[in-house]
Amino acid sequence: MYDSIEKDIITKGHIGSKKTVILSFDDGPGRALPELLDILSKENVRALFFWQSRLLYGERPWKRVIDEGHIIGSHSCKHPNLPNLDYAQQYRELLYSKQKIESITGTPVTYFRPPFGQYNSDTINVAQNLGLTTVMWRIGSMDWELAHDPEQITKNVVSNLEDGAIILLHELKQTVQILPTLIKKIRAQGYEFALLP
């Protein structure tokens, strides 16, 4: 089923002549966000943040995310498994998420990542009809499963690096813990960090 719609999904960014990777963080905005932003700022790295709009309130540090050059995308409103919903239900979920993020941040939402990485043709059509580009990932860090073994997060990413790869991370305590080391090890392999255009 996925093969026929894979052309409508971004898993890699084609940035230019240099080797690049893209960091992306799902499931925010959460408690770990300020610490993640501190690290990204110190390391001069920009990232994609895919947010559940139900977690976004005016008091969250969303302005800092935009001011520091990161991109906010939609990760739906309530994080449902979208293929379990019909077209109309998916449309409402993504529309509400897009509208809420835009109403709070004042910034257009152009990227979308389906919860759990699960999608069907309705999901892609809904995203396109809402002007959203669907973004998946090439490298899954498995950080959500590795709270007790954070070093493995770094290994999962560094051992699978390839040019243009989008790396999946989450706004988690263990991700904060390993992020400085991860960035240094990625750079040591000759990669720079980029964003989708």
Side-chain angles (χ1 to χ4, degrees):
M1 172 183 67
Y2 292 168
D3 292 344
S4 63
I5 53 179
E6 189 66 30
K7 67 184 185 315
D8 299 314
I9 307 284
I10 294 178
T11 59
K12 289 177 73 175
H14 303 284
I15 309 301
S17 57
K18 297 177 181 177
K19 289 198 309 184
T20 60
V21 292
I22 298 168
L23 294 184
S24 66
F25 296 87
D26 282 10
D27 288 346
R31 289 190 182 101
L33 179 60
E35 292 176 279
L36 289 171
L37 291 173
D38 289 345
I39 296 165
L40 294 172
S41 176
K42 182 179 178 184
E43 297 293 341
N44 195 28
V45 173
R46 306 293 171 263
L48 293 166
F49 288 87
F50 291 98
W51 283 353
Q52 300 177 45
S53 61
R54 69 184 175 90
L55 302 176
L56 177 58
Y57 304 94
E59 304 80 44
R60 301 278 190 187
W62 59 265
K63 191 172 188 309
R64 184 178 169 196
V65 175
I66 294 167
D67 288 348
E68 294 182 3
H70 308 290
I71 294 174
I72 299 170
S74 169
H75 197 43
S76 79
C77 175
K78 298 178 181 176
H79 207 272
N81 192 334
L82 291 171
N84 292 337
L85 308 180
D86 64 27
Y87 180 93
Q89 291 169 319
Q90 292 194 49
Y91 189 92
R92 285 192 296 272
E93 178 76 20
L94 270 62
L95 175 63
Y96 179 78
S97 176
K98 175 178 165 66
Q99 288 178 335
K100 182 174 180 187
I101 294 170
E102 289 177 345
S103 70
I104 290 177
T105 67
T107 303
V109 173
T110 57
Y111 295 115
F112 158 70
R113 175 171 286 161
F116 311 106
Q118 297 296 309
Y119 60 87
N120 59 17
S121 58
D122 282 345
T123 314
I124 304 309
N125 290 333
V126 165
Q128 289 175 338
N129 289 335
L130 291 173
L132 297 168
T133 300
T134 303
V135 179
M136 296 294 285
W137 60 87
R138 200 70 169 192
I139 301 172
S141 69
M142 304 300 289
D143 56 351
W144 64 97
E145 292 186 353
L146 293 167
H148 301 295
D149 187 11
E151 290 181 10
Q152 187 61 44
I153 302 168
T154 303
K155 292 175 186 172
N156 289 345
V157 173
V158 174
S159 63
N160 290 290
L161 288 173
E162 61 177 283
D163 187 27
I166 298 172
I167 299 166
L168 171 64
L169 299 160
H170 292 77
E171 293 187 28
L172 297 168
K173 186 176 174 183
Q174 60 265 30
T175 309
V176 170
Q177 184 180 339
I178 60 88
L179 188 58
T181 299
L182 178 62
I183 290 170
K184 287 177 176 62
K185 289 193 173 185
I186 290 172
R187 283 180 167 148
Q189 297 294 318
Y191 289 86
E192 296 182 2
F193 293 92
L195 281 176
L196 290 172

